[in-house]
Amino acid sequence: MKSFYQRAAIALIANSLLLAGDVFAQAAAKQSNPGKAANSANTPSQSSGNRNTLIEEVFVTVTKRTESVQKVSAAVSAYTGELLKANNIQDFQSLSDLTPGMTTRSEGSISIRGISNSVSGGASPVAFHVNGMFLDERGAPFYDIESLEVLRGPSGTAFGRNATGGAINVKWRRPDPEWGVGGDFRKGSLSEEQLRAYINVPFFGEDDPRLLGRFVFYKRQRNGTIDNYFEKSENDAGAIDSQFFRFTLSSEPMENMLLRVRGIYSERNDDILDSASMSLETRATEYSERLRTNYDPERGNPPLSKDNLLEIQSDLKLRYPDFPAHEGAKHRLDGDLNWGLQGLPLLGDVDLDVLYMEQRARAKGFLDLDGTDVPVVDIRSWNPKDTRKNAEIRLTSQYNDGFNWQAGAFWYRQTTKRLLWTDARLFAGAGDVFAASPFGNPVPVELPPTIGGQSTGGPDSVTEVDSIFFGERNLKASEAIFGNVKLNLKEMFDWPDIEIVVGARKNKDVDRLTVDYELVQIVALAGTRLNEPFPLVQNYDVLTFGEFEATTGEFGAKWFYSDLGMIYAKIAKGYKAGKAERVQRINNPVDPEFLNSFEFGWKVGFFQRAILLNFSTYIYDYTDLQITKITDNGFFTENAGEADIRGAELEIQFSPSANLYGQFAVSYNDNEFGQFCGNDNELENQDVQPGCDDPAQPHNFKGEGVADAPKWTVAGLIRYSFQLGDWGTLTPQVKMNWVDDYFRRPYGNPIDDIDGYTKTDLRLIWQSPQEKYRVEAFIENLEDHDDLFYAHFSLPDPGAYSLLSVQPPRTSGIIFEASL
């Protein structure tokens, strides 16, 4: 087998030959280097129009410098706020409809180029940032956004923690130096209502930048998509009830200095988007009715549908009326300083950037792991504390004679406290119930052979436990120093316009987990409630600690062979921190992920930017890929051995006239494990297979593919604006994406196969001549694609239950917008 670097060299030569004809044809017409954007306080950090071009130029900061997306030597999809608004892109799931190589099954399960966390319980390998601040979670819905950047692949220097798959950065719209107010109202299917508004305030008068403010409000409600017999439709699983208020204050107190302070308060009272239910295989057996009959034969509820996972019978909220269901709130305050320092001794012109963020959150919720009124395993969770702090400082030179550099330091702290109460009831002996609980059996439990005259063992007995208490305190800490050097050979030596980039990052991560267990009491055995609950009070505290260090970096070169053309190649090393995890009584340390990446790309514009083309091809050599799965003991993470991932992506934007705009994206991904012994709990045969020697990891998955990695994805968008004179414009728009078959988990198990699907959105938009008023009619998910993105898990038998994440069905509605 060829080494990683041999394959990278072959790919570089092959792709270079493919592009040689175009390169030499355009090189003769080359004039000057298309000026690189300076990273000063007064430089637009997101997008800027150009009267001589048809497609708006977008600036990004994925390298911690402000650069045109066409000049960045990385695969970056950049979206303006207008494009996000025009396509109702408010979250990661809708964002993946347009982004090549990106798939999502829920807001917490994001995959880029086949790098994912498989289920929502693990840390995401796609680092999420808001205004450049590392957040490591989904933020508020996207509204009043300046731009959104999706970096595909590791950078090695700019991002360290949990960014092997890539990074996403959302930038709020900055305050304008003039008065403004606007908003919109959306009314749609599933009783959806959404109200959004903003006001822009120049406190010292228009065009005075000393103090500007922008204030934004958002409110959305929508009925659920999973029908719960015990709930009103507005409280069904998948229901949305969220809101936020945020502000941005900016000030330019002196030349070359920009200060910004931002704050947000958000609430999410959604019914959980990830719900669980008995699988269709389980519903086809007598298990469901047997469980219900043994619990309360007089209840008389209709049986669960045997062919529709979208119907459940969860009465958790009825059983715990005093426990708020699925509510959460968070508030965040952050700020940044950008100061352009001029003429420093030895350093020249340098930008100083200082960033700080602090967020506090709390949440409560339910999780019914079988979707019935029987407490098979029902969980109440209370997260009273989640505090995140983030700081970064950078010094960036400003293109001093072709030699440029950047140096910085990063600091992150997250402390969380989580409490859970579990009711468990299974057809099993009491000891088996504890072993099968999501939190395991923390200490050996010595049970008498009978309790209250009932046997404590045997597969036909029904054991009910009330309850298992689980407390967790977790500290995650991360520190890093980083730096890079850019050498422009044309400016330094009058050579061809080639830029060399070398960077490195030293990462240190700590994961400290303290867990408190308490088993309270057994309240029923063999289907009969005990006269007196049998006390089983046991406490156990454990501490799990992990410390990880890694050095990542990148080396690359890019050649501006024409005013509108550039090719690049780079090698980068990515890293995702390890994890301190405990399963049952056993520490389960999870090793860090490492990724050696080679990428080759081509970015070019035609006809004065009427057409923009971005092409990239990549080869990944992955080691210790972290795979999170659901087992009978909760979330469990294991490291796969080695995986090879390779693919290509193409993005095209075109605007041959001011009225016509379109974009097209296609991605190809091929992958397989070269070494991976693990355990698929959904397989009945748990014998050790050839090539593996650990009974805890008996299955050999060599040759299988990674999870959430469709081989092909295709996306397209096209719109045309009809000019109506004094009546404004009328714009029909079509957006379509197609996703190939893929697997939910990386085991090649047929139960994990997700069939390929197509989704189409239609819009018709009228806008007034001065763009003060806008009316939009829409149909989303025209195909009414309602396949369930679900994951089987074992409790107590393989494939007994499924964790659901539902694609919203066909929806339609209308939006009214006004601005002054």
Side-chain angles (χ1 to χ4, degrees):
M1 181 178 292
K2 296 183 176 66
S3 70
F4 168 73
Y5 295 103
Q6 287 175 323
R7 287 179 282 135
I10 292 172
L12 174 61
I13 295 171
N15 286 284
S16 297
L17 291 175
L18 288 173
L19 296 177
D22 181 81
V23 168
F24 289 114
Q26 296 196 42
K30 185 182 184 321
Q31 297 176 4
S32 61
N33 179 24
K36 306 175 181 63
N39 187 27
S40 69
N42 298 318
T43 300
S45 60
Q46 282 85 29
S47 62
S48 174
N50 187 330
R51 295 181 180 178
N52 297 321
T53 63
L54 294 174
I55 298 179
E56 182 181 24
E57 187 174 17
V58 179
F59 289 85
V60 296
T61 54
V62 294
T63 62
K64 302 298 177 74
R65 292 177 178 268
T66 302
E67 298 179 277
S68 169
V69 69
Q70 292 298 107
K71 311 304 177 187
V72 176
S73 53
V76 181
S77 295
Y79 304 102
T80 64
E82 284 299 315
L83 185 64
L84 298 178
K85 180 178 72 174
N87 289 279
N88 191 37
I89 296 176
Q90 300 191 49
D91 51 31
F92 295 143
Q93 287 182 287
S94 53
L95 178 64
S96 66
D97 290 346
L98 284 176
T99 306
M102 179 178 177
T103 58
T104 57
R105 285 186 285 122
S106 70
E107 285 293 280
S109 181
I110 305 172
S111 172
I112 293 182
R113 293 178 171 177
I115 308 301
S116 72
N117 58 341
S118 299
V119 297
S120 301
S124 174
V126 180
F128 181 60
H129 298 71
V130 177
N131 300 310
M133 314 285 181
F134 177 66
L135 198 56
D136 199 27
E137 66 171 4
R138 67 175 182 179
F142 309 149
Y143 172 60
D144 201 48
I145 300 300
E146 190 86 27
S147 70
L148 187 151
E149 308 161 2
V150 181
L151 170 67
R152 303 190 299 278
S155 69
T157 303
F159 304 105
R161 182 180 179 87
N162 297 358
T164 45
I168 298 174
N169 186 27
V170 176
K171 299 179 181 180
W172 298 352
R173 183 165 176 176
R174 297 190 300 179
D176 296 322
E178 57 186 33
W179 288 93
V181 61
D184 59 49
F185 176 74
R186 171 181 166 121
K187 180 73 173 178
S189 306
L190 297 174
S191 299
E192 180 186 19
E193 292 186 350
Q194 176 179 274
L195 177 63
R196 310 185 298 184
Y198 72 88
I199 181 171
N200 195 91
V201 181
F203 288 96
F204 293 111
E206 293 193 352
D207 299 323
D208 189 334
R210 287 180 296 168
L211 184 60
L212 307 175
R214 195 171 185 91
F215 305 87
V216 177
F217 172 79
Y218 172 100
K219 173 71 175 177
R220 185 186 185 195
Q221 292 181 314
R222 194 199 70 186
N223 288 351
T225 50
I226 301 178
D227 187 14
N228 185 357
Y229 293 164
F230 292 102
E231 291 289 346
K232 297 179 180 179
S233 58
E234 60 266 24
N235 295 324
D236 281 339
I240 294 175
D241 183 3
S242 61
Q243 59 186 348
F244 70 76
F245 170 79
R246 75 173 195 235
F247 69 88
T248 302
L249 299 175
S250 70
S251 175
E252 297 182 26
M254 57 184 294
E255 186 178 1
N256 295 327
M257 177 180 285
L258 174 62
L259 291 168
R260 283 177 293 197
V261 176
R262 292 171 288 254
I264 183 171
Y265 176 81
S266 61
E267 292 182 352
R268 296 183 68 96
N269 298 318
D270 308 354
D271 201 307
I272 53 175
L273 297 179
D274 288 325
S275 300
S277 176
M278 284 188 176
S279 67
L280 294 181
E281 292 84 355
T282 303
R283 294 183 185 213
T285 68
E286 297 180 356
Y287 180 83
S288 172
E289 289 307 307
R290 181 185 177 202
L291 191 63
R292 289 161 48 80
T293 300
N294 275 276
Y295 178 63
D296 190 350
E298 303 298 327
R299 190 150 197 170
N301 296 324
L304 282 171
S305 170
K306 291 183 170 56
D307 60 359
N308 187 356
L309 283 174
L310 289 174
E311 296 179 1
I312 63 175
Q313 295 175 331
S314 176
D315 67 347
L316 265 176
K317 298 177 187 176
L318 300 178
R319 282 190 276 125
Y320 302 105
D322 297 329
F323 194 91
H326 313 120
E327 68 174 24
K330 63 184 65 173
H331 58 273
R332 184 171 71 249
L333 189 68
D334 68 68
D336 62 76
L337 162 70
N338 180 278
W339 190 1
L341 305 174
Q342 306 295 315
L344 296 183
L346 301 178
L347 300 180
D349 296 341
V350 176
D351 268 9
L352 169 66
D353 289 281
V354 181
L355 303 87
Y356 181 80
M357 178 274 289
E358 183 167 338
Q359 175 178 286
R360 299 180 184 273
R362 65 182 189 278
K364 287 186 177 181
F366 291 128
L367 181 57
D368 187 340
L369 285 180
D370 65 300
T372 71
D373 53 328
V374 180
V376 176
V377 175
D378 296 343
I379 301 172
R380 290 166 288 153
S381 65
W382 165 227
N383 296 57
K385 179 181 180 181
D386 185 327
T387 302
R388 302 170 191 235
K389 300 179 181 180
N390 181 0
E392 187 168 319
I393 183 171
R394 296 191 303 270
L395 289 173
T396 306
S397 68
Q398 287 303 302
Y399 297 100
N400 300 317
D401 299 324
F403 177 81
N404 306 284
W405 53 270
Q406 184 179 79
F410 169 82
W411 177 87
Y412 176 76
R413 292 290 184 276
Q414 179 184 350
T415 56
T416 59
K417 183 177 181 180
R418 186 169 59 145
L419 307 174
L420 297 99
W421 297 265
T422 301
D423 299 320
R425 184 176 185 273
L426 296 174
F427 286 104
D432 294 331
V433 170
F434 297 140
S437 74
F439 315 115
N441 184 3
V443 292
V445 178
E446 298 294 336
L447 294 174
T450 62
I451 299 176
Q454 303 294 330
S455 172
T456 61
D460 293 330
S461 60
V462 179
T463 301
E464 185 173 344
V465 180
D466 182 21
S467 65
I468 302 170
F469 172 81
F470 171 82
E472 176 184 284
R473 297 185 299 277
N474 190 208
L475 167 66
K476 296 183 184 295
S478 183
E479 298 171 1
I481 56 173
F482 59 91
N484 63 55
V485 174
K486 293 187 177 185
L487 307 176
N488 189 289
L489 303 185
K490 177 180 175 61
E491 295 182 15
M492 295 178 68
F493 309 112
D494 200 24
W495 289 2
D497 199 351
I498 296 176
E499 190 173 272
I500 306 295
V501 180
V502 181
R505 185 182 185 103
K506 179 67 174 178
N507 305 274
K508 181 178 180 180
D509 293 273
V510 172
D511 195 359
R512 179 187 178 95
L513 176 66
T514 304
V515 182
D516 307 321
Y517 295 93
E518 182 178 339
L519 307 184
V520 182
Q521 59 189 6
I522 299 176
V523 296
L525 280 175
T528 304
R529 291 188 175 273
L530 301 174
N531 293 328
E532 295 292 335
F534 180 78
L536 187 65
V537 179
Q538 302 189 31
N539 298 294
Y540 190 57
D541 298 341
V542 295
L543 170 64
T544 305
F545 182 82
E547 185 172 326
F548 315 95
E549 293 189 15
T551 300
T552 59
E554 60 187 321
F555 173 79
K558 51 186 174 182
W559 175 27
F560 298 94
Y561 64 86
S562 75
D563 286 348
L564 296 177
M566 182 265 282
I567 59 175
Y568 69 89
K570 70 173 182 178
I571 296 174
K573 184 176 183 179
Y575 155 79
K576 177 181 173 182
K579 182 180 179 183
E581 186 176 75
R582 188 169 179 86
V583 180
Q584 291 188 325
R585 302 187 306 273
I586 302 172
N587 286 336
N588 180 47
V590 181
D591 294 331
E593 295 181 358
F594 290 99
L595 168 63
N596 290 322
S597 165
F598 170 79
E599 183 171 316
F600 173 87
W602 176 38
K603 299 186 177 185
V604 65
F606 300 100
F607 308 112
Q608 296 298 310
R609 291 176 57 88
I611 299 176
L612 296 181
L613 181 150
N614 292 340
F615 170 81
S616 61
T617 181
Y618 55 91
I619 298 175
Y620 286 174
D621 187 1
Y622 226 112
T623 304
D624 288 332
L625 175 66
Q626 295 174 14
I627 297 171
T628 302
K629 59 182 180 180
I630 305 170
T631 72
D632 54 4
N633 293 300
F635 290 114
F636 176 82
T637 306
E638 62 183 347
N639 292 103
E642 298 177 355
D644 293 325
I645 303 175
R646 50 209 163 265
E649 298 159 346
L650 175 66
E651 289 183 283
I652 299 175
Q653 297 180 69
F654 57 92
S655 182
S657 71
N659 296 326
L660 177 62
Y661 173 82
Q663 63 183 64
F664 171 82
V666 59
S667 69
Y668 170 81
N669 185 283
D670 187 29
N671 56 80
E672 67 176 8
F673 287 107
Q675 177 185 341
F676 179 21
C677 286
N679 182 23
D680 182 3
N681 299 80
E682 307 307 319
L683 296 177
E684 293 185 3
N685 184 359
Q686 294 291 313
D687 295 336
V688 177
Q689 297 178 349
C692 301
D693 55 13
D694 185 354
Q697 297 180 325
H699 301 135
N700 192 340
F701 299 113
K702 180 179 180 180
E704 301 293 350
V706 301
D708 297 323
K711 180 161 285 190
W712 291 96
T713 65
V714 179
L717 179 151
I718 189 167
R719 64 171 180 254
Y720 186 86
S721 297
F722 293 93
Q723 301 298 323
L724 306 180
D726 293 340
W727 293 91
T729 60
L730 187 65
T731 305
Q733 176 176 295
V734 179
K735 177 170 71 71
M736 181 278 294
N737 74 299
W738 172 76
V739 178
D740 203 356
D741 296 359
Y742 64 97
F743 285 88
R744 304 174 184 91
R745 301 181 306 145
Y747 306 131
N749 193 325
I751 69 171
D752 295 314
D753 183 47
I754 293 178
D755 293 333
Y757 62 90
T758 303
K759 190 172 74 169
T760 304
D761 295 348
L762 303 178
R763 285 178 157 75
L764 184 63
I765 304 167
W766 172 82
Q767 199 159 32
S768 66
Q770 288 76 36
E771 300 184 357
K772 293 184 178 297
Y773 305 101
R774 180 174 175 269
V775 180
E776 173 184 328
F778 63 87
I779 301 176
E780 296 172 346
N781 191 4
L782 181 65
E783 294 82 358
D784 199 19
H785 165 69
D786 60 355
D787 287 356
L788 300 174
F789 298 150
Y790 59 91
H792 287 296
F793 59 96
S794 304
L795 186 65
D797 301 315
Y801 302 102
S802 300
L803 190 68
L804 310 180
S805 181
V806 182
Q807 173 89 1
R810 180 192 300 130
T811 57
S812 60
I814 193 166
I815 299 173
F816 300 94
E817 180 181 1
S819 60
L820 301 175

